[in-house]
Amino acid sequence: LRLTAGEETLFEQLRKRELTSELFGGEDASRWWEWLFSLGGALAGHAAQVSAILTDPITGLPDRTGFQAILSEAMQKSRIDQERFALLLVNPDDFASVNENLGRPQGDAIIRQIGDGLRSVLRASDPVARYGGVIFAVVLPATTRDWAEGVGKKVLQRLSGTAYLEETVRLAFSIGFALYDPKLDGTMLPVELFRQADQALNAAKRRGGGRVVEWHEEISREEAGACDKLTGIFTGNVSKDYRNMVLLWDTIDVIARSQDFDHLAEEVVDRLTPGLRLSRIGLFIQGADGEPVLKKGRSRLTMADGERQLVKTLEPSEAELALLAEAVTESSAVEAELGGEVTGHAVPLLVGGEALGILFLAGENSQLVLDESDFIFLRALAGQIAAALDRARLSELESDRKEKERQELQAQIHELRHAMRRAKLVYQSAEMEAVLERARRVAPTDATVLVTGESGTGKELLARTVHELSPRRRKALVVVDCVAIATTLMESELFGHEKGAYTGAQGRRIGRLAEADGGTVLLDEIGELPLEVQSKLLRFVQDKQYTPVGGSRPKQVDVRILAATNRDLATEVTKGRFREDLYYRLNVVSLEVPPLRARRTDILHLARYFLETFSMQYQKPVRRFTEQAEVDMHMYDWPGNIRELQNRIMQAVILCEQEEIGPEELQLDSMLHPRQASVPSPPDPADSPLREAPPAPDASLSSPEKRLRSALREEIDLALSDESAVVYPLGRWLREDLVLEANALAKGVARRGAELLGIPETTFRRRFAKADEQVRAGLSPRSGRWEEVRSILRQLVDPSGSQAGREPLKEASRILLEEILHRVPGDTSKGSKLLAVTAPTFRTRVAELEEDLARQKSANAHDSS
């Protein structure tokens, strides 16, 4: 040991006891050696403790904590001197295989050799540290980009060219470095510089390793902050590493077990609160409006006695909400002082760059101390929570989608199953239009109706339509099938019976007539009713009174009677099988449904309707009929009428595996009547007078009024040229469609719809209700070319193409009346039917039109003069 001159003088003074009195207060100087050795031991022990904390036990280099101090000091000195410095991160490319194949002790030996190799290349003034795992950090003060790159290449050459463990192991290395310039990045934090160097290191590895890569903006976009999460979580501090490991393991375990995100949020909050010694914690999700919504939260309150209590509520302050918003905007963890020695931290829950929520932490500065390693841990934890939140969100969306599909499918199936039982007639022919027009007139009354027609023509459906159009539609429609009920039970079924009325009558029972009280009763196939029951029914039809079987007092009910039969009741009366007086009581108004062969334009229309219905119901790919199949259907007489057609199409859809149904699926060839063999082909609905293709538009017709006049003129000509006796109610179609179009343009607002048509709101409401009812019940079909008229009416009603003060309904009705008068002058009968009004009303309208024209003529003459 060599002593300096000063040290020798001090030692000589001590030896001569010149300092004894000062050091020991005049006591025996022989004790001064004990004091000196004690002081030296204490200093040595303290130095050993500091070294153990700030250095890595394997390499003797500064560890993560020591490196953070070195980096902060280097950045501060760089700003003072205004000199650049560089940060290098060095890491073997495949060190995991070393530990797996050779074991941990051999791996530690290689780490020591790497540290020695680094120090042998670098200057004594270049700090080097073991950051964590096998990542080494080097600070190059007062350097340039070229110098830093040159040092990196020397380090790479030295470490890659070294054989480790006595020439048995060779390793490849990657190096990433970032340059700090205080003139450009005066506000940069040390952690940001480290993140840049880490991104450069990851880029070097991604490009194959064995190279030196400098950080630049493009690398930042590629890496998106991909720090080494393992070295960030495990810091070398045993207590902190254990805490992080337990918290992360618990979170992953909760995520694996939790199907519900609410439960997951509660579990995470409960674990983090004591683990990080938090005073406030909250797990938020982003709401639909972009505002954070608290899922689970905790806060600790100090009670009056000084005790602290965990309160299961969290009401974020404005400062905390601002911190949450900043975390979402920055897509990174942020912190802020919240006042009262409390610091808040917000970590966004990111999935694909989108913030699904925020993890909020707050604590007293003396309790909650977080460094960069903690933020790396929290980001990893937030990533796991975000993945669980995204999974829960996607699962909820998928569940909602499946539930919606299930409900829609159930609604469709319900619709299809009841399609044939609803009061909705499907037709296109003029013959059925005539029947429906008669039904519309009788429906509002209480008159008894007799519906006749062949079996399968839809008599029950027509009867249901009468009920739906009547004031009794909100009450029950009770159907009594006179064929299905045994003769001996018919009287009891209709009128009911008292207890003990006959053997087996264990209790009192009301009849079907009583069940229909306030509504309608349909006596289906009434021609099958036994004569002995007909007499009792006659009395009921006359005065709505009946006496139950076994009863003595008559009862009265309020019902409307509809009857249906496929027999000729007049013939049955002559043969004595049906009471004549009952026949006349029932036949107040008769509705005869024509057979399908008498209205051939309905055949293909119905066939296509059934095809669409059954293909949806049975989920078959059938979309259309072949041309020959349509020919066969039109040639066939359909003795079973609509019921036979329906069953035939159902069978064909079930058996067909293609998109088209052909003759082989219909199997009608053998049933075609010989007299039909000469029929070349069916007239397609598009070829009938009702489906004539519209002529080319006249270029001179520019305004909707002119186009409407032309279209209505053609509709009148088609109606008058039709060979059937039916005259189309063009006026009613016109009024209904104008009201429907106005309601559509007004988006259901009655006041606005009335303004569009220029009529009172009450009138509009009444007319719309009636028109909508007609359309929904399928009782108001149009001719084939009426769609063109409807499109013109839409333009006529549209306020964007109209001038203020116009009355589209009045104008359209006037145009129709003028064209009717041009086509059928002097024919009040046809004119009233075309305008769909009574004959007196038609004459009144004509007189009003003539007066209006006379006034216009007089006004024009006055203006000319």
Side-chain angles (χ1 to χ4, degrees), residues 491-499 501-502 508-511 514 536 539 545-556:
E491 185 177 356
S492 174
E493 187 73 18
L494 283 175
F495 307 112
H497 62 256
E498 299 293 342
K499 181 179 180 181
Y502 54 86
R508 179 176 176 273
R509 177 190 174 186
I510 65 171
K536 297 192 68 174
R539 181 185 177 188
Q545 288 187 352
Y546 70 95
T547 302
V549 178
S552 58
R553 300 179 60 182
K555 299 180 180 295
Q556 188 165 5

Short mmCIF file of all heavy atoms in Angstrom, two decimals, residues 491-499 501-502 508-511 514 536 539 545-556:
data_model
loop_
_atom_site.label_atom_id
_atom_site.label_comp_id
_atom_site.label_asym_id
_atom_site.label_seq_id
_atom_site.Cartn_x
_atom_site.Cartn_y
_atom_site.Cartn_z
N GLU A 491 -126.44 -31.06 -33.18
CA GLU A 491 -127.27 -30.13 -32.44
C GLU A 491 -126.55 -29.63 -31.19
O GLU A 491 -126.56 -28.43 -30.87
CB GLU A 491 -128.60 -30.81 -32.06
CG GLU A 491 -129.58 -29.86 -31.39
CD GLU A 491 -130.91 -30.53 -31.09
OE1 GLU A 491 -131.08 -31.71 -31.48
OE2 GLU A 491 -131.77 -29.88 -30.46
N SER A 492 -125.89 -30.55 -30.47
CA SER A 492 -125.16 -30.15 -29.28
C SER A 492 -123.98 -29.25 -29.62
O SER A 492 -123.66 -28.32 -28.89
CB SER A 492 -124.69 -31.40 -28.53
OG SER A 492 -123.85 -31.05 -27.44
N GLU A 493 -123.32 -29.52 -30.75
CA GLU A 493 -122.18 -28.73 -31.17
C GLU A 493 -122.59 -27.30 -31.47
O GLU A 493 -121.89 -26.35 -31.12
CB GLU A 493 -121.53 -29.37 -32.40
CG GLU A 493 -120.22 -28.72 -32.83
CD GLU A 493 -119.08 -29.04 -31.89
OE1 GLU A 493 -119.18 -30.02 -31.12
OE2 GLU A 493 -118.07 -28.29 -31.93
N LEU A 494 -123.76 -27.14 -32.10
CA LEU A 494 -124.21 -25.80 -32.48
C LEU A 494 -124.80 -25.04 -31.28
O LEU A 494 -124.45 -23.88 -31.04
CB LEU A 494 -125.26 -25.89 -33.58
CG LEU A 494 -124.77 -26.16 -35.01
CD1 LEU A 494 -125.95 -26.34 -35.94
CD2 LEU A 494 -123.88 -25.03 -35.49
N PHE A 495 -125.67 -25.68 -30.55
CA PHE A 495 -126.45 -24.97 -29.54
C PHE A 495 -125.99 -25.23 -28.11
O PHE A 495 -126.47 -24.57 -27.18
CB PHE A 495 -127.93 -25.35 -29.66
CG PHE A 495 -128.48 -25.17 -31.06
CD1 PHE A 495 -128.84 -26.26 -31.83
CD2 PHE A 495 -128.58 -23.89 -31.60
CE1 PHE A 495 -129.32 -26.08 -33.12
CE2 PHE A 495 -129.07 -23.71 -32.88
CZ PHE A 495 -129.44 -24.81 -33.65
N GLY A 496 -125.11 -26.20 -27.91
CA GLY A 496 -124.68 -26.53 -26.56
C GLY A 496 -125.65 -27.45 -25.87
O GLY A 496 -126.69 -27.83 -26.43
N HIS A 497 -125.33 -27.85 -24.63
CA HIS A 497 -126.23 -28.74 -23.88
C HIS A 497 -126.10 -28.45 -22.40
O HIS A 497 -125.09 -27.89 -21.93
CB HIS A 497 -125.94 -30.21 -24.18
CG HIS A 497 -124.55 -30.63 -23.77
ND1 HIS A 497 -123.53 -30.81 -24.67
CD2 HIS A 497 -124.01 -30.90 -22.55
CE1 HIS A 497 -122.43 -31.16 -24.05
NE2 HIS A 497 -122.69 -31.23 -22.76
N GLU A 498 -127.14 -28.85 -21.68
CA GLU A 498 -127.13 -28.72 -20.24
C GLU A 498 -126.59 -30.01 -19.61
O GLU A 498 -126.52 -31.05 -20.27
CB GLU A 498 -128.56 -28.46 -19.72
CG GLU A 498 -129.20 -27.19 -20.24
CD GLU A 498 -128.50 -25.93 -19.73
OE1 GLU A 498 -127.76 -26.03 -18.72
OE2 GLU A 498 -128.70 -24.85 -20.32
N LYS A 499 -126.20 -29.94 -18.37
CA LYS A 499 -125.70 -31.11 -17.66
C LYS A 499 -126.78 -32.18 -17.58
O LYS A 499 -127.92 -31.90 -17.21
CB LYS A 499 -125.24 -30.71 -16.27
CG LYS A 499 -124.67 -31.87 -15.46
CD LYS A 499 -124.20 -31.39 -14.10
CE LYS A 499 -123.62 -32.57 -13.30
NZ LYS A 499 -123.17 -32.12 -11.95
N ALA A 501 -128.15 -33.73 -20.10
CA ALA A 501 -129.08 -33.69 -21.23
C ALA A 501 -129.14 -35.03 -21.93
O ALA A 501 -130.18 -35.41 -22.48
CB ALA A 501 -128.68 -32.58 -22.21
N TYR A 502 -128.03 -35.76 -21.95
CA TYR A 502 -128.00 -37.08 -22.56
C TYR A 502 -126.88 -37.85 -21.89
O TYR A 502 -126.08 -37.32 -21.11
CB TYR A 502 -127.80 -36.99 -24.08
CG TYR A 502 -126.59 -36.18 -24.49
CD1 TYR A 502 -125.34 -36.76 -24.57
CD2 TYR A 502 -126.73 -34.83 -24.81
CE1 TYR A 502 -124.24 -36.02 -24.95
CE2 TYR A 502 -125.65 -34.08 -25.18
CZ TYR A 502 -124.39 -34.68 -25.26
OH TYR A 502 -123.29 -33.93 -25.62
N ARG A 508 -122.29 -28.81 -18.15
CA ARG A 508 -122.91 -27.87 -19.06
C ARG A 508 -121.87 -27.40 -20.08
O ARG A 508 -120.71 -27.18 -19.75
CB ARG A 508 -123.47 -26.68 -18.29
CG ARG A 508 -124.13 -25.62 -19.14
CD ARG A 508 -124.73 -24.54 -18.25
NE ARG A 508 -125.29 -23.47 -19.05
CZ ARG A 508 -124.59 -22.42 -19.48
NH1 ARG A 508 -123.29 -22.31 -19.16
NH2 ARG A 508 -125.17 -21.48 -20.21
N ARG A 509 -122.29 -27.20 -21.32
CA ARG A 509 -121.39 -26.74 -22.38
C ARG A 509 -122.11 -25.76 -23.28
O ARG A 509 -123.24 -26.02 -23.69
CB ARG A 509 -120.88 -27.93 -23.20
CG ARG A 509 -119.99 -27.50 -24.36
CD ARG A 509 -119.70 -28.63 -25.29
NE ARG A 509 -118.99 -28.16 -26.46
CZ ARG A 509 -118.69 -28.92 -27.51
NH1 ARG A 509 -119.06 -30.18 -27.52
NH2 ARG A 509 -118.04 -28.42 -28.54
N ILE A 510 -121.45 -24.64 -23.56
CA ILE A 510 -122.04 -23.69 -24.50
C ILE A 510 -121.72 -24.14 -25.92
O ILE A 510 -120.72 -24.82 -26.16
CB ILE A 510 -121.53 -22.26 -24.27
CG1 ILE A 510 -120.03 -22.17 -24.56
CG2 ILE A 510 -121.83 -21.79 -22.85
CD1 ILE A 510 -119.50 -20.76 -24.56
N GLY A 511 -122.56 -23.79 -26.88
CA GLY A 511 -122.36 -24.20 -28.26
C GLY A 511 -121.49 -23.23 -29.05
O GLY A 511 -121.05 -22.18 -28.55
N ALA A 514 -122.86 -19.66 -29.42
CA ALA A 514 -122.62 -18.78 -28.27
C ALA A 514 -121.17 -18.31 -28.24
O ALA A 514 -120.88 -17.20 -27.79
CB ALA A 514 -122.99 -19.50 -26.98
N LYS A 536 -134.18 -26.17 -36.20
CA LYS A 536 -133.73 -25.36 -35.07
C LYS A 536 -132.85 -24.21 -35.54
O LYS A 536 -132.87 -23.11 -34.98
CB LYS A 536 -132.97 -26.21 -34.06
CG LYS A 536 -133.82 -27.30 -33.42
CD LYS A 536 -133.12 -27.92 -32.23
CE LYS A 536 -133.00 -26.94 -31.08
NZ LYS A 536 -132.46 -27.56 -29.86
N ARG A 539 -134.91 -21.12 -36.78
CA ARG A 539 -135.36 -20.19 -35.75
C ARG A 539 -134.23 -19.25 -35.33
O ARG A 539 -134.44 -18.06 -35.11
CB ARG A 539 -135.88 -20.97 -34.55
CG ARG A 539 -136.40 -20.04 -33.45
CD ARG A 539 -136.81 -20.82 -32.21
NE ARG A 539 -137.23 -19.91 -31.15
CZ ARG A 539 -137.50 -20.29 -29.92
NH1 ARG A 539 -137.38 -21.58 -29.59
NH2 ARG A 539 -137.88 -19.41 -29.01
N GLN A 545 -132.18 -16.57 -31.60
CA GLN A 545 -132.45 -17.28 -30.36
C GLN A 545 -132.29 -18.78 -30.58
O GLN A 545 -132.53 -19.28 -31.68
CB GLN A 545 -133.87 -16.98 -29.87
CG GLN A 545 -134.07 -15.59 -29.31
CD GLN A 545 -135.43 -15.40 -28.70
OE1 GLN A 545 -136.30 -16.28 -28.82
NE2 GLN A 545 -135.64 -14.29 -28.02
N TYR A 546 -131.88 -19.46 -29.52
CA TYR A 546 -131.73 -20.92 -29.58
C TYR A 546 -131.94 -21.47 -28.19
O TYR A 546 -131.87 -20.76 -27.19
CB TYR A 546 -130.34 -21.31 -30.10
CG TYR A 546 -129.22 -21.00 -29.11
CD1 TYR A 546 -128.75 -21.97 -28.23
CD2 TYR A 546 -128.67 -19.72 -29.04
CE1 TYR A 546 -127.75 -21.69 -27.33
CE2 TYR A 546 -127.67 -19.42 -28.14
CZ TYR A 546 -127.21 -20.42 -27.28
OH TYR A 546 -126.22 -20.13 -26.37
N THR A 547 -132.22 -22.77 -28.15
CA THR A 547 -132.39 -23.46 -26.88
C THR A 547 -131.39 -24.61 -26.81
O THR A 547 -131.36 -25.48 -27.69
CB THR A 547 -133.82 -24.03 -26.75
OG1 THR A 547 -134.76 -22.95 -26.87
CG2 THR A 547 -134.01 -24.72 -25.40
N PRO A 548 -130.51 -24.65 -25.80
CA PRO A 548 -129.54 -25.73 -25.70
C PRO A 548 -130.23 -27.08 -25.53
O PRO A 548 -131.38 -27.17 -25.08
CB PRO A 548 -128.74 -25.37 -24.43
CG PRO A 548 -128.99 -23.91 -24.21
CD PRO A 548 -130.36 -23.65 -24.73
N VAL A 549 -129.53 -28.12 -25.91
CA VAL A 549 -130.06 -29.48 -25.75
C VAL A 549 -130.25 -29.74 -24.26
O VAL A 549 -129.33 -29.55 -23.46
CB VAL A 549 -129.09 -30.50 -26.36
CG1 VAL A 549 -129.62 -31.93 -26.14
CG2 VAL A 549 -128.90 -30.24 -27.84
N GLY A 550 -131.45 -30.17 -23.92
CA GLY A 550 -131.76 -30.42 -22.51
C GLY A 550 -132.19 -29.18 -21.77
O GLY A 550 -132.49 -29.25 -20.56
N GLY A 551 -132.23 -28.03 -22.43
CA GLY A 551 -132.63 -26.79 -21.78
C GLY A 551 -134.09 -26.50 -22.01
O GLY A 551 -134.75 -27.08 -22.87
N SER A 552 -134.61 -25.55 -21.25
CA SER A 552 -136.02 -25.17 -21.37
C SER A 552 -136.21 -23.70 -21.69
O SER A 552 -137.28 -23.31 -22.15
CB SER A 552 -136.76 -25.51 -20.07
OG SER A 552 -136.16 -24.83 -18.97
N ARG A 553 -135.18 -22.90 -21.48
CA ARG A 553 -135.32 -21.48 -21.70
C ARG A 553 -134.46 -21.08 -22.91
O ARG A 553 -133.29 -21.46 -23.00
CB ARG A 553 -134.90 -20.70 -20.47
CG ARG A 553 -135.72 -21.03 -19.24
CD ARG A 553 -135.24 -20.26 -18.02
NE ARG A 553 -135.34 -18.83 -18.25
CZ ARG A 553 -134.95 -17.90 -17.36
NH1 ARG A 553 -134.42 -18.28 -16.21
NH2 ARG A 553 -135.09 -16.61 -17.64
N PRO A 554 -135.02 -20.29 -23.82
CA PRO A 554 -134.24 -19.85 -24.99
C PRO A 554 -133.18 -18.83 -24.60
O PRO A 554 -133.34 -18.07 -23.65
CB PRO A 554 -135.29 -19.27 -25.92
CG PRO A 554 -136.39 -18.81 -25.02
CD PRO A 554 -136.41 -19.78 -23.87
N LYS A 555 -132.12 -18.82 -25.36
CA LYS A 555 -131.03 -17.87 -25.15
C LYS A 555 -130.85 -17.06 -26.43
O LYS A 555 -131.17 -17.52 -27.53
CB LYS A 555 -129.72 -18.60 -24.81
CG LYS A 555 -129.79 -19.41 -23.52
CD LYS A 555 -128.47 -20.10 -23.26
CE LYS A 555 -128.54 -20.93 -21.97
NZ LYS A 555 -128.73 -20.08 -20.77
N GLN A 556 -130.31 -15.87 -26.28
CA GLN A 556 -130.14 -14.98 -27.43
C GLN A 556 -128.67 -14.52 -27.50
O GLN A 556 -128.07 -14.18 -26.48
CB GLN A 556 -131.06 -13.76 -27.33
CG GLN A 556 -131.06 -12.91 -28.60
CD GLN A 556 -132.22 -11.94 -28.63
OE1 GLN A 556 -132.99 -11.83 -27.68
NE2 GLN A 556 -132.38 -11.25 -29.73
#
